[in-house]
Each structure stands twice: as C-alpha cells, then as structure tokens.
Amino acid sequence: MYRILCSLFEVIILLTTGIDLYESICNATKVSVFNWDRDMVTVENADVFFDELSNSTISVVYQYISSKTADEDIVYYLTCAAAHEVGIYLLTGEPKWGLETDGAGMIDEIMRAQTINQLVPKEARLRGVVMDVEPYLTDEWDAAPGEVMDRFAAGLACAYSEALDCGLQLIVCIPYFYDTKGYMDALEGIIESGCDRAAVMNYYKGKEAEHIADEIALSRKYGKKLVNIYELQPPDGTAVTDVNTYYHEGLGAVVRSAVSLKSVYQGDVEFAIHDYDAWKEMRDDE
C-alpha cells in the first residue's frame, strides 16, 4: 500500500511484530486500490497511472469505467495494466440496484464487463466486477431496512450466478455494520451466494479487527476471503470524519493496522485502500 506495507515505520513494525510476519505483508500481492477517476482510462493518462503504481505494492485496481469511454481508451488502459502486471476489476454501483431482487442493474454491469473483455486478449481482461451498491442510502431503506437487505441479497445471488457464467469474479462492498444492525441472515446469504469476496468498508480506526469478526467467520465458513478496506480520503465533516479516515495519521498507521489484522486473521484477510487520489497525496507527503 505505498510501499503501503514498507514505510518509514518499518523498524517499529519489525520490533513489534517479528520479521517473518512483516515480510509476509510486505510481499503481499493482494493490495487493491479504488480509482473513481474516469480520466485515467485514456490513452493519454494510462501510462502515467501505472508507472505511479509500479513503485508500490498495489497489484490490483478497482477501476470505474464510464459507459461513455471510447473502446480505444479502454483497450489501451487494460493492455497497459497487463504490461505492468496489474489486475483490473470494473468498479461500479448504484444504491437503487440494491432494491432489485432479480439483480438487473448489477447483471447489466457484469454483461458490460464481459463485452469489454471481448475487446482485449485474455491476459488483459477484466478479472471481475466490484459492486459498490450501498442500498442503505435509499429512501426505501429508511422505511423497511430488513426488506431491502433481503432484496439486496436476492439480487446479488442472481448477479453472482451471471458472473460465474461469464467467468468473472464478483466482489461486493459492504459496511461493517450489517451484523450489528440485525441483518446477519442476509449478510450470510450475501457471503455464501452473492460474491467471491466481501470487501468491508471498515471505516472505524482502532476497531478494525472487532468489526470484521463476524464477516471473517462467515467467509471462512464458505471458503472465501475477505477484503478489509481502509479509508484515506480527507475528512469532510459529513460522510468522511476523523474517526474513519487515516488521512491525518499517515500511511504508517495503515501499515500498523494491516500488520495487526494479518496477525489476527492470517491469510483470510486481504487489503484495499480508498482511494487512489488520497493514497497518492499521502504518499507524496511522506
């Protein structure tokens, strides 16, 4: 993760965690970054973007690709990613898709990913789709959250079936609170039948291990891994606060948290950071 797991704090980490554990994290190949910037998917910007990542341990990008992006730009971006040995997932999602029991909106995006993959050779294809749906942002959630959760889980099961048929992985973003809000059954359904991985928006500093305990248990039960997402965006006083972002603490604090989670959950947890712009700003400041 900025050399995310190899930073100025390495001496401290070595002393507190041990060489073997530290090296295993530094050599991790499952560090992902969210990138919502559509302008990176262009002939003009792709090389710069992947050159920037080449000096980090980030090996996977969850990339937003506008439906209006030209095929030429998509092909160049994916080919460039393959040349840099970076895996790409299509990043997409709308809250309203969580209301569709047939998963229609999500399936449309899976089919779009399949269409994109027909443009490039096998080694440059999208690995899958990352669904950032967040149905709890809808008005329907305010009225009947349990019903919305059941609809979301049903829709994801349909979408996951389609993804499997298309040879695509499906990663679903979820908050850390579904279990504590009383939606444990729906959460289990999501992890069992709705995705290859759950990516938890684990945005509460210092309580990361506690907040993913149930999700890890379910992932283990169904033979899957879990992605722990770190928030790096600057606090805005509303959606992003000092409680849930590492913006002021720096990347070294993210490293220490990742080391701690790895020591607790071993190989069952992978890491992602949100998002590229914030990561680059923090890296450039250190």
Side-chain angles (χ1 to χ4, degrees):
M1 299 174 180
Y2 167 34
R3 304 162 191 174
I4 189 172
L5 304 172
C6 305
S7 75
L8 296 175
F9 291 85
E10 63 183 353
V11 174
I12 297 174
I13 297 170
L14 281 168
L15 292 174
T16 58
T17 64
I19 293 174
D20 292 341
L21 177 60
Y22 178 67
E23 287 184 346
S24 73
I25 294 176
C26 279
N27 294 326
T29 58
K30 296 296 184 181
V31 177
S32 309
V33 65
F34 286 75
N35 187 28
W36 293 99
D37 187 352
R38 69 173 69 185
D39 292 334
M40 291 299 179
V41 190
T42 60
V43 172
E44 293 79 14
N45 295 329
D47 285 307
V48 175
F49 176 64
F50 289 109
D51 285 345
E52 193 75 42
L53 296 183
S54 65
N55 292 322
S56 74
T57 59
I58 293 171
S59 61
V60 175
V61 178
Y62 302 155
Q63 177 66 57
Y64 172 70
I65 302 174
S66 169
S67 59
K68 298 179 181 179
T69 303
D71 287 352
E72 176 188 2
D73 288 319
I74 294 173
V75 169
Y76 191 85
Y77 176 89
L78 292 177
T79 302
C80 193
H84 285 79
E85 299 183 338
V86 175
I88 306 297
Y89 288 74
L90 175 65
L91 174 60
T92 186
E94 294 286 347
K96 64 183 180 181
W97 297 349
L99 307 176
E100 301 170 343
T101 55
D102 61 357
M106 293 183 282
I107 289 173
D108 285 346
E109 289 297 275
I110 290 166
M111 299 307 296
R112 183 161 75 98
Q114 184 183 44
T115 299
I116 288 172
N117 278 347
Q118 294 172 358
L119 301 173
V120 294
K122 183 177 181 180
E123 64 272 12
R125 290 175 184 168
L126 294 165
R127 294 184 182 180
V129 179
V130 175
M131 290 290 178
D132 186 11
V133 174
E134 302 182 64
Y136 45 86
L137 299 179
T138 63
D139 292 338
E140 288 82 354
W141 177 275
D142 294 335
E147 178 184 339
V148 171
M149 275 298 295
D150 291 340
R151 292 161 71 178
F152 183 39
L156 272 171
C158 296
Y160 185 43
S161 177
E162 188 67 38
L164 290 173
D165 288 344
C166 293
L168 292 163
Q169 295 181 41
L170 182 60
I171 299 174
V172 57
C173 295
I174 60 174
Y176 65 79
F177 56 72
Y178 280 157
D179 53 338
T180 59
K181 295 291 186 180
Y183 313 123
M184 194 67 176
D185 289 344
L187 175 62
E188 182 165 3
I190 288 170
I191 292 176
E192 177 186 11
S193 306
C195 64
D196 290 288
R197 288 179 179 82
V200 182
M201 295 176 281
N202 199 4
Y203 304 160
Y204 199 112
K205 292 179 299 188
K207 294 189 177 182
E208 285 94 350
E210 173 187 343
H211 283 167
I212 61 171
D214 287 336
E215 290 82 356
I216 283 281
L218 289 172
S219 296
R220 286 172 171 169
K221 179 178 180 179
Y222 296 107
K224 300 179 181 182
K225 295 183 185 296
L226 182 139
V227 181
N228 185 83
I229 311 171
Y230 288 101
E231 179 65 272
L232 304 186
Q233 291 187 334
D236 60 11
T238 55
V240 181
T241 69
D242 284 324
V243 168
N244 51 43
T245 179
Y246 279 87
Y247 180 79
H248 291 304
E249 284 78 5
L251 292 169
V254 179
V255 174
R256 293 196 297 275
S257 175
V259 169
S260 177
L261 285 183
K262 196 78 170 180
S263 69
V264 174
Y265 295 123
Q266 304 300 318
D268 295 315
V269 63
E270 299 173 356
F271 302 101
I273 50 181
H274 187 271
D275 59 9
Y276 169 77
D277 287 340
W279 169 80
K280 186 176 184 302
E281 178 184 349
M282 293 174 68
R283 190 204 62 175
D284 290 347
D285 286 344
E286 292 198 347

